[in-house]
Amino acid sequence: MWPKVRNGGEWMYTQGLLEAPPKAASAVEDSERMARFQARIDAEEKIEPKDWMPEAYRQTLIRQISQHAHSEIVGMLPEGHWISRAPSLLRKSILIAKVQDEGGHGAYLYSAAETLGIARSELIEQLLSGRAKYSSIFNYPTPTWADVAAIGWLVDGAAIMNQVPLCRCSYGPYARAMVRVCKEESFHQRQGYHAMLSLARGTPAQQRMAQDALNRWWWPALMMFGPPDTASQHTALSVRWKIKRFTNDELRQKFVDFTVPQAQFLGLMVPDTQLHQAEDGHYQTGPLDWSEFNAVLKGNGPCNAERIAERREAHAAGAWVREAAIAHAAKRAARAVA
Amino acid sequence: MRPSAPRVQSLKVYGAIAMTLPHDWALYEVFVRAKRGLDHKHVGSLHAADAAMAIEHARDLYTRRQEGVSLWVVKSADIVASAPEDAAAFFDPAEDKIYRHPTFYDIPKDVETL
């Protein structure tokens, strides 16, 4: 399929729904292609959709980009619940804009994943069927308004730490999507800190609310960077292919160093009795409870079932809109011909 | 509590929805003109039932912060592109025509404004 359409003028620009590329003719050819591919990456050149790439590179990217996209989509839920209950019209407008951005980020990322030859419908099916992973952070509940503030400050803050290096990822469409995402993400973090600041400077009850939210989100936010380097499966190859530029622990440390002073400014206590500033200036945290992380990852978090159920419901409820749009488009096309 | 019903069951329950998923919404590429005087630039893609919907989706997806004053959408399938593996041979004929560049010509310093 692949080579035939190439000369037929039907190349999809994004290579949308084409089948996987044909197997290399020989092992020699394969190793030559692999050497050229790696040389290009080493020279900091981008890999673009129609370039030859090792199947493992393609699959790694599909997995990572689609998980990222799913995370944005599921990430709309915990905050979306607070749109109708935001404490002021301005906070409500801000939250609507933020949640709309998350949906947009999901769409940018699905668009980037599609350039690797997988259909968006397949990716969405993976999410709805529960086979796909998404960031475990979104399986925690948002019981108070302060949780929405804490998500913006900490969760979006951690996301930025992860995402900024991805703007230089070796895969062109992913890198370009991340540039757009990062531009918008800064607003998310700042509005969160701003909301947190309002609470921290508010009544004693509001201050307690802010502290409780920090207590709930601190450790899960640190776990967003993934398992420690000693236990991470994917790091080495992803670093060689410049999909990943820094290790999980490096990014986590950077986040802690940035965030602890921000908490101090709010007058809030980071919920870690072992936290201290080491002689080298870095903040050292106490040990992370990875058994909890793994339980949430395996689907046993507080909201795993609820999130997927809600996505399915939303998808089912929107089916008539998708069908009506098709019918309407067909009718208009028929009229145009007549 | 289990996160979701076992996969087989969930596919059965949601099979009908899943089947409507490989929707007939075509893939469109989106181009944005950031301001008057600049070219339209490719920014990404989206799915839409028709061109009118593609334009509206493109506005919502790619210009939420006044990133553009004009949009183009074109069905991805309608774009014809050169093949990257042929790039070396395809673009090669231009490589040795260095006389096409102004720097090829050595002009005496005394000649000004050239």
Side-chain angles (χ1 to χ4, degrees), chain B residues 53-74:
Chain B
M53 185 195 265
I55 285 283
E56 284 185 8
H57 282 185
R59 177 201 57 194
D60 294 343
L61 190 54
Y62 292 105
T63 64
R64 284 194 302 280
R65 289 175 177 78
Q66 298 182 292
E67 288 94 336
V69 294
S70 167
L71 286 168
W72 287 353
V73 294
V74 58

Side-chain angles (χ1 to χ4, degrees), chain A:
Chain A
M1 291 299 285
W2 186 272
K4 272 185 216 154
V5 296
R6 182 173 305 142
N7 299 323
E10 291 178 28
W11 258 113
M12 285 187 184
Y13 191 67
T14 56
Q15 188 178 300
L17 309 177
L18 294 180
E19 290 172 14
K23 292 261 184 292
S26 71
V28 176
E29 191 185 340
D30 220 23
S31 72
E32 278 172 10
R33 282 168 154 177
M34 183 65 116
R36 275 202 302 273
F37 169 82
Q38 189 63 49
R40 177 164 276 172
I41 288 178
D42 293 343
E44 293 289 336
E45 275 186 49
K46 298 294 181 202
I47 304 300
E48 293 295 345
K50 295 184 296 173
D51 290 337
W52 180 88
M53 61 186 82
E55 200 47 31
Y57 179 83
R58 183 186 302 276
Q59 293 309 328
T60 299
L61 278 167
I62 289 177
R63 192 191 66 239
Q64 182 172 332
I65 300 173
S66 64
Q67 284 180 10
H68 193 163
H70 298 326
S71 302
E72 300 282 357
I73 298 300
V74 176
M76 297 165 82
L77 299 173
E79 288 175 290
H81 292 160
W82 278 93
I83 288 175
S84 62
R85 293 176 284 165
S88 72
L89 190 55
L90 178 61
R91 292 285 181 207
K92 182 187 283 205
S93 304
I94 291 168
L95 194 53
I96 290 172
K98 180 177 192 282
V99 172
Q100 190 191 14
D101 275 354
E102 313 291 4
H105 296 176
Y108 302 155
L109 289 160
Y110 283 131
S111 162
E114 276 182 295
T115 66
L116 291 157
I118 186 159
R120 185 172 313 210
S121 50
E122 165 70 13
L123 297 172
I124 293 173
E125 203 279 323
Q126 286 175 2
L127 175 64
L128 296 180
S129 70
R131 279 182 293 146
K133 282 189 182 142
Y134 55 86
S135 178
S136 59
I137 195 80
F138 300 115
N139 289 322
Y140 291 90
T142 44
T144 72
W145 170 251
D147 291 277
V148 175
I151 286 180
W153 171 35
L154 299 172
V155 174
D156 289 275
I160 290 173
M161 211 57 89
N162 261 326
Q163 288 169 354
V164 167
L166 290 173
C167 297
R168 295 192 295 130
C169 158
S170 62
Y171 188 58
Y174 191 25
R176 293 191 288 272
M178 291 317 300
V179 169
R180 270 196 303 280
V181 169
C182 285
K183 268 187 199 163
E184 300 179 354
E185 205 78 60
S186 174
F187 142 61
H188 298 181
Q189 190 191 17
R190 289 172 68 104
Q191 66 80 33
Y193 193 77
H194 190 264
M196 207 68 182
L197 199 56
S198 298
L199 294 171
R201 289 179 175 170
T203 64
Q206 287 173 322
Q207 290 168 4
R208 271 197 305 279
M209 208 163 108
Q211 181 63 57
D212 287 347
L214 173 57
N215 294 350
R216 277 191 288 277
W217 291 94
W218 174 254
W219 294 106
L222 295 193
M223 292 181 205
M224 280 176 69
F225 295 94
D229 295 349
T230 48
S232 181
Q233 301 169 20
H234 307 300
T235 296
L237 204 52
S238 286
V239 168
R240 181 147 64 89
W241 282 340
K242 295 188 179 163
I243 295 172
K244 211 177 160 100
R245 298 265 177 177
F246 300 98
T247 69
N248 296 350
D249 287 336
E250 284 167 349
L251 291 167
R252 186 168 14 247
Q253 183 62 53
K254 205 172 165 193
F255 176 74
V256 170
D257 289 340
F258 276 33
T259 310
V260 170
Q262 293 168 359
Q264 287 167 346
F265 185 84
L266 292 170
L268 300 178
M269 186 81 82
V270 172
D272 178 356
T273 51
Q274 296 179 50
L275 183 75
H276 64 281
Q277 195 166 18
E279 279 178 15
D280 59 4
H282 292 296
Y283 286 94
Q284 299 288 315
T285 68
L288 280 72
D289 180 7
W290 291 107
S291 62
E292 182 198 308
F293 175 82
N294 289 325
V296 178
L297 205 62
K298 284 202 174 72
N300 300 318
C303 300
N304 293 51
E306 186 189 326
R307 299 289 185 242
I308 289 301
E310 209 174 331
R311 272 318 304 159
R312 286 172 175 167
E313 213 178 292
H315 194 80
W320 72 271
V321 179
R322 294 189 295 277
E323 284 158 20
I326 292 284
H328 182 65
K331 192 172 76 182
R332 284 217 294 208
R335 274 190 197 152
V337 171

